Amino acid sequence: MPLRSDWSQRTCSMARGLDILGDPWSVLVLREVFFGNGRFDAMKARLEVADSVLTKRLAGLVESGLLEKKAYDDGGRTRQEYVLTPMGEDALPVLNAVTIWAEKHLPAPSAQAHLYVIHTGCGKPTTSADTCTWCGERLTAANTSWHSRSRSEQPIPLSTASGKEPAA
Ligand SMILES: [Zn+2]
Protein backbone atom coordinates (compact mmCIF):
# COMPACT_ATOMS: atom_id res chain seq x y z
CA MET A 1 0.00 0.00 0.00
CA PRO A 2 1.57 3.32 -1.07
CA LEU A 3 2.27 5.99 1.50
CA ARG A 4 0.48 8.56 -0.65
CA SER A 5 -0.14 9.26 -4.32
CA ASP A 6 2.53 7.89 -6.66
CA TRP A 7 4.89 10.56 -7.98
CA SER A 8 7.16 8.16 -9.86
CA GLN A 9 5.74 9.25 -13.24
CA ARG A 10 5.87 13.00 -12.65
CA THR A 11 7.47 15.02 -15.41
CA CYS A 12 9.91 16.78 -13.07
CA SER A 13 12.93 14.75 -11.97
CA MET A 14 12.89 16.47 -8.56
CA ALA A 15 9.38 15.13 -7.95
CA ARG A 16 10.36 11.65 -9.14
CA GLY A 17 13.37 11.69 -6.81
CA LEU A 18 11.27 12.88 -3.91
CA ASP A 19 8.92 9.97 -4.53
CA ILE A 20 11.70 7.89 -2.95
CA LEU A 21 13.90 10.33 -1.03
CA GLY A 22 11.12 12.59 0.26
CA ASP A 23 10.01 10.06 2.84
CA PRO A 24 11.68 10.66 6.25
CA TRP A 25 11.62 7.02 7.35
CA SER A 26 13.16 5.87 4.07
CA VAL A 27 15.98 8.40 4.40
CA LEU A 28 16.60 7.37 8.02
CA VAL A 29 16.73 3.71 6.93
CA LEU A 30 19.38 4.73 4.38
CA ARG A 31 21.23 6.56 7.17
CA GLU A 32 21.35 3.34 9.17
CA VAL A 33 22.64 1.32 6.22
CA PHE A 34 25.32 3.96 5.49
CA PHE A 35 26.33 3.59 9.16
CA GLY A 36 26.68 -0.16 8.51
CA ASN A 37 23.60 -0.93 10.57
CA GLY A 38 21.65 -2.99 8.03
CA ARG A 39 20.12 -5.70 10.19
CA PHE A 40 16.40 -5.49 10.88
CA ASP A 41 16.45 -5.72 14.67
CA ALA A 42 19.34 -3.29 15.07
CA MET A 43 17.73 -0.78 12.70
CA LYS A 44 14.44 -1.12 14.52
CA ALA A 45 16.12 -0.48 17.87
CA ARG A 46 17.99 2.58 16.60
CA LEU A 47 15.03 4.07 14.75
CA GLU A 48 12.47 3.22 17.46
CA VAL A 49 10.03 2.39 14.71
CA ALA A 50 7.20 -0.10 14.39
CA ASP A 51 7.92 -3.35 12.53
CA SER A 52 5.30 -2.55 9.91
CA VAL A 53 6.79 0.87 9.15
CA LEU A 54 10.32 -0.48 8.83
CA THR A 55 9.22 -3.49 6.77
CA LYS A 56 7.38 -1.24 4.34
CA ARG A 57 10.32 1.17 3.90
CA LEU A 58 12.83 -1.65 3.42
CA ALA A 59 10.61 -3.28 0.81
CA GLY A 60 10.20 0.06 -0.97
CA LEU A 61 13.94 0.77 -1.00
CA VAL A 62 14.66 -2.72 -2.35
CA GLU A 63 11.94 -2.37 -4.99
CA SER A 64 13.28 1.06 -5.99
CA GLY A 65 16.79 -0.40 -6.33
CA LEU A 66 18.60 1.48 -3.51
CA LEU A 67 19.07 -1.50 -1.18
CA GLU A 68 19.52 -5.21 -1.62
CA LYS A 69 19.38 -8.14 0.75
CA LYS A 70 22.50 -10.07 1.58
CA ALA A 71 22.74 -13.29 3.56
CA TYR A 72 24.89 -13.45 6.68
CA ASP A 73 25.61 -16.19 9.17
CA ASP A 74 24.10 -15.61 12.60
CA GLY A 75 25.63 -18.33 14.75
CA GLY A 76 24.79 -21.10 12.28
CA ARG A 77 21.53 -19.55 11.12
CA THR A 78 21.39 -17.75 7.78
CA ARG A 79 19.70 -14.38 8.05
CA GLN A 80 19.32 -11.37 5.77
CA GLU A 81 20.75 -7.89 6.12
CA TYR A 82 20.37 -4.86 3.92
CA VAL A 83 23.23 -3.31 1.99
CA LEU A 84 23.52 -0.41 -0.41
CA THR A 85 23.42 -0.84 -4.18
CA PRO A 86 25.41 1.61 -6.33
CA MET A 87 22.12 3.50 -6.81
CA GLY A 88 21.65 3.72 -3.05
CA GLU A 89 25.23 4.82 -2.52
CA ASP A 90 24.63 7.62 -5.02
CA ALA A 91 22.07 9.08 -2.58
CA LEU A 92 24.91 10.02 -0.19
CA PRO A 93 25.10 13.70 -1.25
CA VAL A 94 21.34 14.02 -0.63
CA LEU A 95 21.71 12.77 2.95
CA ASN A 96 24.81 14.90 3.44
CA ALA A 97 22.99 17.99 2.14
CA VAL A 98 20.01 17.53 4.46
CA THR A 99 22.37 17.06 7.40
CA ILE A 100 24.59 20.05 6.59
CA TRP A 101 21.56 22.26 6.00
CA ALA A 102 20.03 21.20 9.34
CA GLU A 103 23.32 21.79 11.19
CA LYS A 104 23.41 25.30 9.74
CA HIS A 105 19.81 26.32 10.32
CA LEU A 106 18.11 24.12 12.94
CA PRO A 107 19.02 24.15 16.63
CA ALA A 108 20.21 20.84 18.10
CA PRO A 109 18.33 19.87 21.27
CA SER A 110 21.53 18.53 22.87
CA ALA A 111 25.27 18.17 22.29
CA GLN A 112 24.62 14.55 21.31
CA ALA A 113 22.21 15.60 18.59
CA HIS A 114 24.72 16.82 16.04
CA LEU A 115 25.77 14.90 12.96
CA TYR A 116 28.86 16.04 11.10
CA VAL A 117 29.96 15.01 7.62
CA ILE A 118 33.69 14.27 7.72
CA HIS A 119 36.09 13.76 4.82
CA THR A 120 38.01 10.73 6.08
CA GLY A 121 41.04 11.66 3.96
CA CYS A 122 41.80 14.91 5.78
CA GLY A 123 39.67 14.32 8.88
CA LYS A 124 37.89 17.67 8.57
CA PRO A 125 34.15 18.38 8.63
CA THR A 126 32.81 19.62 5.32
CA THR A 127 30.04 22.14 4.70
CA SER A 128 29.44 20.92 1.16
CA ALA A 129 27.45 17.77 0.39
CA ASP A 130 29.63 16.37 -2.36
CA THR A 131 33.06 17.99 -2.01
CA CYS A 132 35.40 18.42 0.94
CA THR A 133 35.43 22.17 1.64
CA TRP A 134 38.94 21.85 3.16
CA CYS A 135 40.86 19.96 0.49
CA GLY A 136 38.50 19.91 -2.50
CA GLU A 137 38.31 16.14 -2.91
CA ARG A 138 35.03 14.73 -4.21
CA LEU A 139 33.16 12.90 -1.44
CA THR A 140 32.09 9.29 -1.86
CA ALA A 141 30.91 6.75 0.68
CA ALA A 142 34.43 5.26 0.58
CA ASN A 143 36.06 8.47 1.82
CA THR A 144 33.30 9.90 4.03
CA SER A 145 32.58 9.38 7.72
CA TRP A 146 29.71 10.62 9.81
CA HIS A 147 30.30 11.79 13.35
CA SER A 148 27.44 11.41 15.79
CA ARG A 149 28.43 11.48 19.46
CA SER A 150 25.22 9.63 20.26
CA ARG A 151 26.83 6.64 18.51
CA SER A 152 30.56 6.95 18.91
CA GLU A 153 33.28 9.33 20.06
CA GLN A 154 34.99 8.78 16.71
CA PRO A 155 33.60 9.39 13.20
CA ILE A 156 32.26 6.19 11.64
CA PRO A 157 33.43 5.40 8.07
CA LEU A 158 30.42 4.83 5.84
CA SER A 159 29.44 1.57 4.21
CA THR A 160 29.76 1.37 0.46
CA ALA A 161 27.80 -0.53 -2.16
CA SER A 162 30.52 -3.16 -2.27
CA GLY A 163 29.83 -3.76 1.42
CA LYS A 164 33.49 -3.41 2.33
CA GLU A 165 34.63 -1.24 5.16
CA PRO A 166 36.60 1.57 3.54
CA ALA A 167 40.18 2.16 4.62
CA ALA A 168 40.44 5.19 6.90
ZN1 LIG B 1 39.32 16.91 2.82
Side-chain angles (χ1 to χ4, degrees), residues 2 4-5 8 22 25 29 39 43 47 49 52 59 86-87 90 100 119-120 129 137-138 142 149-150 154 157-158 167:
R4 46 166 170 67
S5 58
S8 65
W25 281 123
V29 166
R39 297 178 182 179
M43 272 193 272
L47 293 169
V49 64
S52 58
M87 180 187 179
D90 274 351
I100 290 165
H119 173 219
T120 315
E137 196 172 318
R138 194 176 74 82
R149 286 206 167 78
S150 72
Q154 298 303 319
L158 300 187

Side-chain angles (χ1 to χ4, degrees), residues 27-28 31 93-110 113-117 126-129:
V27 173
L28 292 176
R31 180 193 72 187
V94 179
L95 276 67
N96 284 346
V98 170
T99 303
I100 290 165
W101 178 84
E103 281 290 337
K104 181 175 179 185
H105 293 289
L106 307 179
S110 76
H114 292 286
L115 179 61
Y116 300 110
V117 179
T126 179
T127 53
S128 167

